[in-house]
Amino acid sequence: MFMFLHFPLVMSKYENQITIFTDCLEEFPDTDELVWILGKQHLLKTEKSKLLSDISARLWFTYRRKFSPIGGTGPSSDAGWGCMLRCGQMMLAQALICRHLGRDWHWEKQKEQPKEYQRILQCFLDRKDCCYSIHQMAQMGVGEGKSIGEWFGPNTVAQVLKKLALFDEWNSLAVYVSMDNTVVIEDIKKMCCVLPVGADTADESSPDSLAASSQSKGSSAPYPAWKPLLLIVPLRLGINQINPVYIEAFKECFKMPQSLGALGGKPNNAYYFIGFLGDELIFLDPHTTQTFVDTEESGLVDDQTFHCLQSPQRMSILNLDPSVALGFFCKEEKDFDNWCSLVQKEILNENLRMFELVQKHPSHWPPFVPPAKPEVTTTGAEFIDSTEHLEDFDLEEDFEILSV
């Protein structure tokens, strides 16, 4: 049995938070300040068009209506409850863009796009057979203790993406979600350094064997390949409001070339933060309800409603709810090593650290076991079409950070 909330009550509770998107969003001010967007800087005064082009290239996922009911009898719209799920989709989509097309790739309206772009977009269509659809995310959330139609917090979305990624063989991502504000280098290397297909994997899980393989690049022994990493760091940066001591470190994260932005917002109002200007955060807002878009007869998706063509919205960083989740993408091992160096320099030199980065797995923690796809004979989409198998996943301790 699926767990559903009474949908009219959900809509009634949140209907005052569903915003109408207009053409009158506030324009960027005329200033000499730099704008940072996902690791790229733009001089606002002379590069405004380049800046807006960079922002519009990001995939923009919003509320949708008139898709097939989730679970067969559930909601056919996520308006009022799906904003954090949509933000999670946007962060993951940016990781996939970086993986297949690169951070410098730009989208142009009504221009033929690479086949990889279309394939990425199809991963997120609102159909139960699409690996990161609203259907899959909502149903996998049942295993995290969330009823279908219930609002998610950032950590729940992170845990759901980590589990759905196990069924996504094309993108083949390693998804690491930090615990207790701590990123463990040893665990990430263990998860991302994989021996090539066909190599002897008897000792693959042993850190010592991986280290030995790493030193054998010039020998006949197999050299571990790096599985592209999606790193998500859920944080609480205060009690009821963000502690100002964290502001500069938080902004530094958007400067890192590995940046995927941040999930957060206000209570029950999630945004996807992609950069900043001064002390204002720049974000993509999912609170626009659009009609479901499906694949056309040509096999392509009309992508016009999946990009935000207006000037993006901004909010003071001091108005940010203290609960956020930072995202980073490391396509190669050298990207992760560089990220660690940047964290050491920009984050760990603060008196009050935003999070910790440690080399070894803490001895008082349970042993780290890289997540593995459950032993089932169905595809990922079929697997989570029913919630009866969700007990095969470990239920992560929830870290709900935007309080209800």
Side-chain angles (χ1 to χ4, degrees):
M1 290 290 292
F2 294 116
M3 294 192 293
F4 296 115
L5 291 181
H6 192 262
F7 196 58
L9 291 180
V10 173
M11 290 298 295
S12 174
K13 180 178 179 181
Y14 294 106
E15 63 183 357
N16 64 328
Q17 297 176 357
I18 301 174
T19 59
I20 304 300
F21 198 74
T22 72
D23 294 328
C24 301
L25 297 179
E26 183 182 356
E27 293 289 332
F28 281 112
D30 185 17
T31 175
D32 291 327
E33 287 189 82
L34 285 174
V35 179
W36 285 90
I37 301 293
L38 302 175
K40 296 285 184 181
Q41 66 177 18
H42 302 275
L43 186 58
L44 187 55
K45 199 157 193 173
T46 59
E47 299 177 327
K48 187 173 182 181
S49 61
K50 183 180 176 183
L51 166 64
L52 294 176
S53 174
D54 190 17
I55 293 172
S56 67
R58 305 312 116 214
L59 282 171
W60 178 49
F61 297 122
T62 72
Y63 290 150
R64 295 277 173 172
R65 56 188 173 89
K66 297 186 177 180
F67 50 70
S68 62
I70 297 176
T73 58
S76 58
S77 171
D78 62 312
W81 59 271
C83 54
M84 185 60 80
L85 282 74
R86 297 300 186 181
C87 291
Q89 287 180 326
M90 286 189 268
M91 176 178 281
L92 176 58
Q94 178 60 23
L96 301 187
I97 291 290
C98 291
R99 173 155 176 19
H100 295 287
L101 301 174
R103 172 63 183 88
D104 293 329
W105 172 82
H106 282 285
W107 173 85
E108 292 184 37
K109 187 176 181 180
Q110 296 179 333
K111 180 180 178 181
E112 185 177 353
Q113 307 299 334
K115 62 181 180 180
E116 293 87 355
Y117 165 81
Q118 279 285 330
R119 192 167 179 183
I120 290 169
L121 189 53
Q122 290 177 19
C123 291
F124 298 93
L125 296 182
D126 300 316
R127 300 187 338 209
K128 69 176 184 179
D129 59 342
C130 295
C131 54
Y132 301 113
S133 66
I134 195 77
H135 298 67
Q136 298 285 20
M137 294 184 72
Q139 289 178 194
M140 187 59 84
V142 174
E144 293 296 314
K146 295 294 183 181
S147 301
I148 294 175
E150 187 174 355
W151 195 87
F152 283 28
N155 187 64
T156 302
V157 169
Q159 301 297 343
V160 163
L161 292 177
K162 180 175 76 171
K163 292 170 181 177
L164 289 178
L166 298 174
F167 301 97
D168 178 14
E169 295 182 359
W170 176 57
N171 292 300
S172 187
L173 292 181
V175 181
Y176 179 93
V177 182
S178 67
M179 291 176 51
D180 296 339
N181 293 357
T182 304
V183 175
V184 183
I185 296 173
E186 179 183 54
D187 295 346
I188 289 177
K189 297 262 184 172
K190 183 177 181 180
M191 181 171 64
C192 293
C193 292
V194 294
L195 292 175
V197 176
D200 183 6
T201 58
D203 297 322
E204 183 177 343
S205 61
S206 167
D208 293 336
S209 68
L210 286 177
S213 297
S214 297
Q215 297 171 3
S216 62
K217 190 170 184 179
S219 68
S220 58
Y223 184 69
W226 177 264
K227 196 171 186 179
L229 170 68
L230 169 57
L231 168 59
I232 304 177
V233 186
L235 299 170
R236 189 169 190 96
L237 303 179
I239 300 177
N240 297 316
Q241 58 188 24
I242 187 170
N243 187 331
V245 74
Y246 295 121
I247 288 178
E248 290 306 313
F250 186 72
K251 288 161 59 176
E252 283 295 329
C253 291
F254 292 97
K255 297 181 181 180
M256 296 178 181
Q258 301 84 0
S259 175
L260 295 176
L263 308 178
K266 302 174 182 178
N268 300 330
N269 238 353
Y271 304 129
Y272 175 41
F273 296 98
I274 59 173
F276 71 91
L277 166 63
D279 285 329
E280 288 187 322
L281 295 174
I282 299 168
F283 63 92
L284 296 178
D285 187 353
H287 300 88
T288 298
T289 305
Q290 304 186 90
T291 303
F292 162 63
V293 172
D294 203 351
T295 308
E296 298 177 340
E297 290 185 8
S298 64
L300 301 178
V301 178
D302 183 351
D303 64 351
Q304 300 305 302
T305 62
F306 292 100
H307 293 271
C308 183
L309 300 180
Q310 293 89 351
S311 216
Q313 298 192 60
R314 309 192 306 277
M315 64 176 279
S316 169
I317 195 169
L318 292 173
N319 293 333
L320 178 68
D321 189 278
S323 294
V324 297
L326 296 168
F328 305 94
F329 177 70
C330 302
K331 185 175 182 178
E332 300 178 8
E333 186 173 9
K334 65 181 181 181
D335 299 323
F336 177 63
D337 293 339
N338 174 257
W339 179 83
C340 291
S341 297
L342 290 171
V343 169
Q344 291 279 358
K345 179 182 177 182
E346 306 296 346
I347 306 297
L348 301 187
N349 64 355
E350 301 291 336
N351 292 329
L352 189 57
R353 296 176 176 181
M354 194 163 59
F355 61 87
E356 297 289 342
L357 176 67
V358 299
Q359 184 69 44
K360 295 292 185 181
H361 185 86
S363 59
H364 61 281
W365 283 13
F368 176 76
V369 179
K373 182 177 174 182
E375 293 296 326
V376 293
T377 57
T378 59
T379 66
E382 293 165 339
F383 175 73
I384 35 190
D385 192 34
S386 169
T387 55
E388 64 186 33
H389 298 293
L390 287 173
E391 65 270 13
D392 293 345
F393 284 116
D394 292 331
L395 179 63
E396 301 282 351
E397 182 181 355
D398 214 10
F399 188 94
E400 284 313 295
I401 42 190
L402 299 187
S403 57
V404 178

